[in-house]
Amino acid sequence: LSVALSGAVLARCPSCARNFAAMHCRNTCSPDQSLFTNVTRVANASGVPGALAVLEYQVFYRRRYAE
């Protein structure tokens, strides 16, 4: 859903929309997240005892990847 919303905002730049979607997928689905992601804030997940939800995180990328 969030990727679809960004597509509407970035509609004038298809390559920007694709790059944003790729970055979003890497941030949320990469099996190597622990190498570049630092969770900075969590909260109790509603309806799931003992489960936590990530509210905020930092992502670290090499300059070359970001460019």
Side-chain angles (χ1 to χ4, degrees):
L1 179 63
S2 61
V3 175
L5 293 174
S6 70
V9 172
L10 299 171
R12 292 185 178 185
C13 180
S15 62
C16 294
R18 282 191 302 273
N19 288 340
F20 181 84
M23 183 73 71
H24 176 76
C25 291
R26 180 165 169 82
N27 286 343
T28 58
C29 301
S30 173
D32 299 321
Q33 280 180 330
S34 65
L35 301 177
F36 60 85
T37 303
N38 178 39
V39 174
T40 57
R41 196 169 93 172
V42 297
N44 292 328
S46 61
V48 183
L52 297 174
V54 174
L55 299 178
E56 189 174 282
Y57 63 94
Q58 296 172 317
V59 179
F60 303 96
Y61 290 119
R62 291 184 178 174
R63 180 179 297 270
R64 181 175 173 158
Y65 178 80
E67 290 173 349

